[in-house]
Amino acid sequence: MIRCKLLLSPMPCRIIRTLSTDGYKSIGSFHSDNVEQLMRLSDEDYIAPELPFEKGSVKIPTRSPVAAPFANSGRFSDSYSHLDRSQWSFLNHGAFGLATDVGLSRAHSWRMCLESQPLRYFDRYLLNHLAHSARSLVDFVATENKDKMRESIALMSNVTGGMNAVIGGHARFHGNSSKVFSFDINYGSNKKMCQTYHGQENAIEIPFEEDFLPLLRKIQSSSNEDNDYHLQATDVFLSAFDSTIQNLIRGGKHSKSSLAGSLLLLDHITSNTAIHTPIMSLAKYAKEEYGMIVAVDGAHSLLSLPLEMSNILSDGSDGQEGVDIYLTNCHKWFSSPRGAAALFCSNTTIQDSILRQPAVVSHGVNDGFLSRFLWDGCRDYSAELSLPAITDFWNATAISVVRKDTKQNLKEGIRILIQHWHPGVCSGGGDNADMASIEQNSAEAGLTLVPLQLHAPMMALVRLPDHLSGSAVANKSDRKTSTDAKRVQDYFYSCRVEVPVKCVRGVLYCRVSCHVYNRAEDFETLARVALNVP
């Protein structure tokens, strides 16, 4: 491995390096090591590349021994010091994320390194450090079978680019008549990709919102265990899926066997409705029953969910459960700077067929799975290069505790909103909204879109006050539209509250996000402002 060290000083940079007479090892004519070989090295044999600048100190928040909601939020404020708290109540992390200071600092250092000598950065630093970023991310999402997982990852700038490769690749490899299925609550741009690559007739939408989403609201559990809720939710999703398939078959143009090789797209956490989809059960059924290929958009999952990628992915072996392709963004809950994402696929047959061509074809297209996606032209790669610093940060915070605290904070934030907007409902017989009652009855009472156990752990939909929210009954005059949602959201923005308003089945909800830096005051401000919407 080429060793280079940049000595920082007020004078122009000097380089200490070991010259090599070996031929090119990397893609194109880059003076870097072979990234595929770097990924295959064991932990014992791998040597991380040295940073060409000073690492800098990182302040790790210490956790308060107090178990109360929001007890640790203030401790994380310094990790997001650039957020303008003096002006804004920010409850929309789920939209485009918010980068940690440590990620921004590392990305800035890489940008300055680039501009100090561009050829050195691109030719000799970039690819080795991108491979190190990929290894760091694998370590974050896999505790088992790491060797296999390192050959299953591809870095890219965002999930949208990855989804173009997946959906476009499926259409190219399986032909124009191949089918792609997606639920109508899936992310909007993915549905447009399906129509673009497969055509309107072969991009089949699974109706869910109108007829099946209300069934999720009715789910009850005597044990109040999340797993019990998800088992019942699985039945609802499978019913919607099977209903669509059977309608196709009854139409006479398709048979069960003709659907083999079709692509099923799932959102691990839906964007508009913040529902935690039971992807593993759906993937198992779609593959066993219809021979489908399953790809998951996990844009909201990295950090918010305890991903174990070795258990999520299927390598194509007989009888092995799991999804075939999984994509996730780093800029959302993982809080990297924008411009970093990952695609995971451990099935080499799919790697060499559907995923043979990235959205942008460049030097590495014929040099291995990571290589074909890694370089997509001369651009700013600093977000991807910042990933090791961010994984170190989250690992140092005891991430399982962070997830537990943030989930608790979200529930308390929802309790605050319900207390202000729907007094007397879910109060357990008292004056104040009761968390136990909210967890059991909020969805059935129409206060949250679905039971909290089915919402994402850091994001949920809460119905606005009655004078704003409207009715889901089709013939009611107060059934709201997206225009109404925009009007309310614009009012919130004018009051310096950043939160999206969603219209679902004619009813208006706030989709509230809660990350480590959010405080009770954010929810209290939203609660007061909503009551004053004209």
Side-chain angles (χ1 to χ4, degrees):
M1 180 181 296
I2 297 173
R3 293 289 193 179
C4 303
K5 186 175 182 182
L6 172 63
L7 302 181
L8 298 180
S9 70
M11 301 298 291
C13 300
R14 295 186 295 110
I15 303 172
I16 299 174
R17 62 188 175 90
T18 301
L19 295 175
S20 172
T21 58
D22 295 338
Y24 292 113
K25 300 177 183 178
S26 187
I27 62 175
S29 57
F30 289 95
H31 295 259
S32 302
D33 291 322
N34 185 303
V35 296
E36 305 296 330
Q37 292 178 4
L38 291 177
M39 295 302 289
R40 286 193 288 267
L41 289 173
S42 66
D43 287 333
E44 293 75 18
D45 295 331
Y46 177 70
I47 301 175
E50 295 179 5
L51 287 172
F53 44 77
E54 292 182 1
K55 187 174 183 179
S57 61
V58 178
K59 182 179 179 181
I60 304 298
T62 56
R63 186 171 182 269
S64 168
V66 179
F70 299 106
N72 292 291
S73 299
R75 297 168 184 262
F76 277 93
S77 295
D78 290 343
S79 302
Y80 295 84
S81 64
H82 47 286
L83 178 61
D84 187 2
R85 291 182 176 278
S86 66
Q87 298 288 328
W88 291 93
S89 296
F90 189 74
L91 290 166
N92 198 7
H93 189 103
F96 300 107
L98 182 69
T100 58
D101 287 3
V102 64
L104 289 175
S105 176
R106 180 62 61 87
H108 176 73
S109 294
W110 274 113
R111 292 188 188 103
M112 294 302 99
C113 176
L114 160 62
E115 299 305 337
S116 70
Q117 217 282 37
L119 263 293
R120 177 186 56 207
Y121 166 90
F122 283 114
D123 255 358
R124 303 177 187 275
Y125 289 166
L126 178 62
L127 297 186
N128 282 17
H129 283 274
L130 285 177
H132 183 60
S133 292
R135 290 181 66 103
S136 297
L137 196 55
V138 167
D139 288 343
F140 191 77
V141 298
T143 59
E144 302 173 1
N145 299 323
K146 287 187 179 182
D147 291 345
K148 179 67 175 177
M149 291 302 101
R150 289 186 188 121
E151 296 185 53
S152 305
I153 186 174
L155 292 183
M156 54 199 61
S157 59
N158 52 61
V159 165
T160 299
M163 271 297 177
N164 271 275
V166 172
I167 300 170
H170 181 265
R172 285 190 298 271
F173 187 77
H174 286 273
N176 293 333
S177 62
S178 60
K179 301 289 186 291
V180 56
F181 293 82
S182 65
F183 286 86
D184 63 3
I185 59 172
N186 280 16
Y187 191 53
S189 74
N190 291 342
K191 292 186 282 188
K192 292 178 181 178
M193 291 179 216
C194 293
Q195 295 166 0
T196 298
Y197 289 113
H198 289 77
Q200 291 280 353
E201 183 177 347
N202 296 314
I204 300 170
E205 192 167 89
I206 303 167
F208 190 85
E209 183 173 314
E210 280 297 327
D211 295 330
F212 291 92
L213 183 57
L215 300 180
L216 293 182
R217 175 177 292 172
K218 298 177 181 179
I219 291 177
Q220 293 286 328
S221 173
S222 58
S223 66
N224 202 34
E225 292 291 332
D226 288 3
N227 188 52
D228 194 10
Y229 281 89
H230 281 278
L231 287 174
Q232 296 180 61
T234 296
D235 292 338
V236 177
F237 276 94
L238 289 177
S239 296
F241 179 51
D242 250 349
S243 176
T244 298
I245 298 292
Q246 295 308 314
N247 286 339
L248 276 179
I249 293 174
R250 281 194 293 269
K253 293 184 179 180
H254 305 283
S255 64
K256 181 177 178 180
S257 60
S258 71
L259 298 178
S262 296
L263 179 64
L264 172 63
L265 295 182
L266 301 173
D267 284 6
H268 204 166
I269 294 173
T270 59
S271 179
N272 204 50
T273 52
I275 294 172
H276 185 180
T277 307
I279 62 168
M280 298 300 286
S281 300
L282 286 169
K284 176 180 171 64
Y285 184 79
K287 295 172 74 171
E288 291 182 353
E289 190 70 15
Y290 300 110
M292 292 185 177
I293 299 162
V294 180
V296 175
D297 182 339
H300 285 276
S301 63
L302 186 60
L303 189 129
S304 72
L305 297 176
L307 300 178
E308 177 54 64
M309 205 56 65
S310 61
N311 294 333
I312 292 174
L313 292 177
S314 167
D315 65 7
S317 302
D318 290 342
Q320 189 190 42
E321 298 180 8
V323 308
D324 299 297
I325 303 167
Y326 193 100
L327 302 96
T328 188
N329 275 324
C330 300
H331 68 263
K332 289 187 181 288
W333 304 97
F334 188 70
S335 292
S336 80
R338 288 145 204 86
L343 182 155
F344 294 89
C345 176
S346 58
N347 186 325
T348 55
T349 299
I350 292 178
Q351 285 184 6
D352 295 333
S353 56
I354 293 174
L355 299 178
R356 184 63 183 82
Q357 181 176 315
V360 177
V361 176
S362 193
H363 291 298
V365 68
N366 297 319
D367 291 281
F369 186 58
L370 176 65
S371 296
R372 75 181 60 144
F373 288 92
L374 198 60
W375 170 265
D376 56 8
C378 182
R379 63 172 174 86
D380 184 356
Y381 290 85
S382 60
E384 291 161 84
L385 293 170
S386 73
L387 297 182
I390 303 170
T391 57
D392 288 346
F393 171 81
W394 287 120
N395 286 330
T397 64
I399 188 60
S400 62
V401 177
V402 167
R403 291 191 184 103
K404 181 180 178 181
D405 285 352
T406 310
K407 186 175 183 179
Q408 179 187 19
N409 295 348
L410 175 63
K411 290 180 178 180
E412 174 60 15
I414 291 171
R415 191 199 67 79
I416 291 170
L417 297 179
I418 289 177
Q419 172 72 27
H420 283 78
W421 294 349
H422 308 285
V425 184
C426 290
S427 62
D431 294 330
N432 297 322
D434 175 71
M435 182 51 65
S437 180
I438 288 172
E439 289 185 332
Q440 282 285 348
N441 305 311
S442 63
E444 190 174 28
L447 307 185
T448 57
L449 181 65
V450 296
L452 294 186
Q453 293 82 354
L454 298 180
H455 267 309
M458 299 182 180
M459 190 167 66
L461 269 67
V462 183
R463 182 163 64 86
L464 285 167
D466 292 340
H467 74 284
L468 296 175
S469 59
S471 171
V473 180
N475 59 0
K476 286 274 189 176
S477 60
D478 60 346
R479 187 176 170 99
K480 302 298 184 181
T481 67
S482 60
T483 300
D484 299 307
K486 183 182 184 303
R487 180 184 68 83
V488 176
Q489 185 169 336
D490 286 345
Y491 179 82
F492 288 159
Y493 183 84
S494 72
C495 298
R496 298 190 178 276
V497 175
E498 188 65 77
V499 65
V501 177
K502 303 295 184 180
C503 182
V504 183
R505 302 183 67 250
V507 177
L508 299 187
Y509 300 82
C510 272
R511 191 198 69 182
V512 289
S513 296
C514 186
H515 211 332
V516 290
Y517 56 82
N518 284 114
R519 302 176 181 179
E521 294 93 318
D522 296 325
F523 290 90
E524 289 164 355
T525 299
L526 170 60
R528 291 192 301 270
V529 168
L531 293 175
N532 293 320
V533 176

